[in-house]
Amino acid sequence: MRLSTLQFLTFLTITNLPTCTPSTNPTPNPTQRQLQNRSKTFSIGIVLFPGYEPLDVIGPFEIFQSLSTYYPMTISFIASTTGPIPSRPPPIILSPGQPPTTTDHIISMSLLATHTFSTAPKLDILLIPGGLGNMALVQQNDTTIESFITSRYGRLKYLLSVCSGSVVLARSGVLKRKKATTNKGHWRWITQFGEGIRWVPSARWTRDGKIWTSSGVAAGMDMTYAFLEMLYGAQGGLTNVMNGIEYAPHTDPDWDPFSVVWNVPGADPQGSVESCVKPIGW
Amino acid sequence: MRLSTLQFLTFLTITNLPTCTPSTNPTPNPTQRQLQNRSKTFSIGIVLFPGYEPLDVIGPFEIFQSLSTYYPMTISFIASTTGPIPSRPPPIILSPGQPPTTTDHIISMSLLATHTFSTAPKLDILLIPGGLGNMALVQQNDTTIESFITSRYGRLKYLLSVCSGSVVLARSGVLKRKKATTNKGHWRWITQFGEGIRWVPSARWTRDGKIWTSSGVAAGMDMTYAFLEMLYGAQGGLTNVMNGIEYAPHTDPDWDPFSVVWNVPGADPQGSVESCVKPIGW
């Protein structure tokens, strides 16, 4: 017997746990398409590489995993090899002619890659995280992920990047003539890549067609909420998930004080530094 | 050559990346003790078990890892066995007499445990995450983590729990006569455990002596910021980290609209539903 939403709500009642108070600001009814999406099994892939930023990966993944108790989906963690992939970045060259700096003092986690770029299944949604590992791959002239993106792009329904993961999208060519944003602390380094990209200096996230890109790290969670709200509608599963994980997302894609904090050229100086958030549906 | 703060700032200059704009609301100078802490190597342990909540672990870990580029620290991921530990919860009994429900449809990640409870090193800071796995351990009458906590508690400098990780603290006895909070969606189930605990119904996190407990999932990041601000001071490393990961934390430990959303008995009905956040130092 699968742990279904109905069973879980029954469990809440039996164990005398509280059920959700009706919200005071209910979310809209799902559209026909969103209702259909709720029955589809979306195949999600997340790429890993040494030096991925942990929260770039797990912020979105937390929301996906929680939502998988409501709507069917599959996950693949895709890397050059299967097995443990460390979050500690490899040594990076900081200035030309210098030897790479060591990064041993940076603590690390290891997340298991379940597929290689060759064995990854058909994917509907592909997410590329950021991290200093992007910089290492560029310095190693490694374009494996770029090649994976160009080979899969046509059949993807959606392509998402978090933080400096946009570097990979830029180098793959898929961002040509499209809007995109990225991590604001490394803006200049990142935006040198690619051609004809309409980089948006002040954006928590952007959407252009099937490509969604977010600002740095924590912005991935806000983008993921907006993306899943587009896909499924907020009412029901997604609202319960966001309130279950007690995350009140930033819902304005233009809120980006970090573009001001990090002095991004073209950042909106009039943009609001502050954002007021509350539980979804309240 | 270690990647140090000075080198990284030099890198930003050489590669024409922006350096941080002076903040308009500077954080206080660190205290003497905080300055001393910046030179200490704190040994951090995070416990894992099948069915940990990913963001309970990685929200705090992201901040620790980023800060490790500034201040020395070590990390141990501690579980019953080393190797991959899945985030998918084991089957759980939803009602007495029923067989356990399957959880195969819940997507999963696997994080590597680096130590067992026997091999874990001396720890200064221990963090216990939540997740449906806590419920499975209780149903299995597994008190391994509780025993680990009681054996280490005296020598820990700090003990932290995120979300339903407080169940373990409650069952271990260390919360007796102490304030604590927990995940609000499962409040009644969790707060049946332990004796003499001063459960706080509306709290993003609590602190009582060396024990810090947070509300559900995402609240772990807010607690972690407050904890590290206490330990090191915000000025310098921690501010750069929070703005680098573009997370504007909730800094009021009493803000807890989720206690109202989830109908927690004793929740503060006058509490603010909304929280306004901005970059640290702004």
Side-chain angles (χ1 to χ4, degrees):
Chain A
M1 188 168 66
R2 279 171 46 126
L3 182 64
S4 73
T5 310
L6 180 58
Q7 286 175 303
F8 188 61
L9 289 172
T10 307
F11 173 57
L12 293 180
T13 312
I14 286 170
T15 51
N16 209 28
L17 289 171
T19 48
C20 205
T21 308
S23 66
T24 56
N25 188 21
T27 49
N29 288 330
T31 64
Q32 198 59 28
R33 183 175 182 190
Q34 287 169 338
L35 284 173
Q36 289 166 357
N37 283 342
R38 294 177 179 199
S39 303
K40 289 184 186 166
T41 302
F42 287 103
S43 166
I44 305 171
I46 300 179
V47 165
L48 300 176
F49 45 84
Y52 56 84
E53 196 68 34
L55 192 58
D56 287 20
V57 177
I58 303 305
F61 178 79
E62 169 66 51
I63 306 174
F64 295 146
Q65 178 181 302
S66 300
L67 202 55
S68 73
T69 61
Y70 291 90
Y71 311 136
M73 61 185 76
T74 62
I75 188 72
S76 307
F77 288 99
I78 308 162
S80 291
T81 60
T82 57
I85 311 292
S87 63
R88 175 188 293 119
I92 292 172
I93 298 166
L94 290 189
S95 34
Q98 291 283 343
T101 61
T102 62
T103 51
D104 295 346
H105 59 295
I106 301 177
I107 62 174
S108 186
M109 59 179 265
S110 284
L111 196 51
L112 236 61
T114 56
H115 296 79
T116 66
F117 296 110
S118 310
T119 64
K122 175 184 176 305
L123 296 169
D124 300 311
I125 299 164
L126 179 62
L127 187 148
I128 312 294
L132 277 174
N134 292 130
M135 195 175 286
L137 290 171
V138 169
Q139 291 182 354
Q140 294 158 16
N141 294 317
D142 186 321
T143 56
T144 310
I145 310 175
E146 287 82 355
S147 300
F148 181 67
I149 288 174
T150 46
S151 74
R152 294 298 188 109
Y153 184 69
R155 286 164 295 167
L156 284 176
K157 294 188 167 62
Y158 301 100
L159 176 61
L160 278 58
S161 69
V162 180
C163 194
S164 56
S166 55
V167 167
V168 187
L169 271 58
R171 283 156 47 93
S172 75
V174 301
L175 284 185
K176 202 163 183 174
R177 290 185 299 276
K178 290 204 181 329
K179 286 190 309 184
T181 197
T182 187
N183 164 295
K184 302 306 170 359
H186 295 172
W187 179 265
R188 281 199 181 87
W189 179 77
I190 292 166
T191 56
Q192 64 180 302
F193 294 106
E195 290 181 357
I197 300 171
R198 295 158 53 203
W199 291 107
V200 184
S202 289
R204 192 68 173 161
W205 72 88
T206 63
R207 175 189 185 180
D208 194 327
K210 66 182 184 181
I211 300 184
W212 294 60
T213 67
S214 86
S215 197
V217 194
M221 291 189 289
D222 301 322
M223 175 183 72
T224 296
Y225 170 73
F227 171 73
L228 294 172
E229 195 274 332
M230 175 278 300
L231 202 65
Y232 293 114
Q235 201 187 77
L238 185 57
T239 293
N240 283 350
V241 161
M242 299 310 288
N243 292 338
I245 69 173
E246 301 191 24
Y247 186 62
H250 299 282
T251 54
D252 178 2
D254 299 327
W255 174 72
D256 192 5
F258 299 99
S259 63
V260 176
V261 169
W262 291 105
N263 244 339
V264 169
D268 176 9
Q270 307 304 325
S272 172
V273 169
E274 202 173 61
S275 164
C276 301
V277 294
K278 51 187 181 169
I280 293 296
W282 285 73
Chain B
M1 188 170 63
R2 278 172 45 127
L3 179 67
S4 71
T5 311
L6 181 58
Q7 286 173 305
F8 189 60
L9 290 172
T10 306
F11 173 60
L12 294 179
T13 312
I14 285 169
T15 52
N16 209 28
L17 289 169
T19 47
C20 205
T21 307
S23 66
T24 55
N25 188 21
T27 48
N29 288 331
T31 64
Q32 198 59 30
R33 185 177 181 188
Q34 288 170 338
L35 284 173
Q36 288 164 356
N37 282 342
R38 294 176 180 201
S39 304
K40 289 184 186 168
T41 302
F42 286 102
S43 166
I44 304 171
I46 300 179
V47 166
L48 299 177
F49 45 83
Y52 56 84
E53 197 68 33
L55 192 58
D56 287 21
V57 177
I58 303 305
F61 178 79
E62 169 67 50
I63 306 175
F64 295 144
Q65 179 182 300
S66 300
L67 202 55
S68 73
T69 61
Y70 291 91
Y71 310 136
M73 60 185 76
T74 62
I75 188 72
S76 306
F77 288 99
I78 307 161
S80 291
T81 60
T82 56
I85 311 293
S87 63
R88 176 188 293 120
I92 291 172
I93 298 167
L94 288 189
S95 35
Q98 291 284 341
T101 61
T102 62
T103 51
D104 296 343
H105 60 295
I106 301 177
I107 62 175
S108 186
M109 60 179 265
S110 284
L111 197 48
L112 237 62
T114 57
H115 295 79
T116 66
F117 295 110
S118 310
T119 64
K122 176 181 175 307
L123 297 169
D124 299 310
I125 299 164
L126 179 61
L127 187 148
I128 312 295
L132 277 174
N134 292 128
M135 197 175 286
L137 290 170
V138 169
Q139 292 182 354
Q140 295 158 17
N141 293 317
D142 186 321
T143 55
T144 310
I145 310 175
E146 286 82 355
S147 301
F148 181 68
I149 288 175
T150 46
S151 75
R152 294 297 188 111
Y153 183 71
R155 285 163 297 166
L156 285 175
K157 294 190 168 60
Y158 301 101
L159 175 62
L160 279 57
S161 69
V162 180
C163 193
S164 57
S166 54
V167 167
V168 187
L169 271 58
R171 281 154 49 90
S172 75
V174 300
L175 284 185
K176 200 164 186 174
R177 292 186 296 278
K178 289 205 182 324
K179 286 191 310 186
T181 198
T182 186
N183 163 294
K184 299 309 172 352
H186 294 172
W187 178 265
R188 280 198 182 87
W189 180 79
I190 292 165
T191 55
Q192 65 182 300
F193 295 106
E195 289 181 0
I197 300 172
R198 296 159 50 203
W199 291 108
V200 184
S202 287
R204 192 69 173 160
W205 73 87
T206 63
R207 175 192 185 179
D208 195 327
K210 67 182 185 181
I211 300 184
W212 293 61
T213 68
S214 87
S215 196
V217 194
M221 292 189 288
D222 301 321
M223 174 183 73
T224 297
Y225 171 72
F227 171 73
L228 294 171
E229 196 276 330
M230 175 277 301
L231 203 64
Y232 294 114
Q235 201 187 76
L238 185 57
T239 293
N240 284 350
V241 162
M242 300 309 287
N243 291 338
I245 69 173
E246 302 191 24
Y247 186 62
H250 299 282
T251 53
D252 178 2
D254 299 327
W255 175 72
D256 191 7
F258 299 99
S259 63
V260 176
V261 168
W262 290 105
N263 244 337
V264 168
D268 176 9
Q270 307 305 324
S272 171
V273 169
E274 200 173 65
S275 165
C276 300
V277 295
K278 52 186 179 168
I280 294 296
W282 286 74

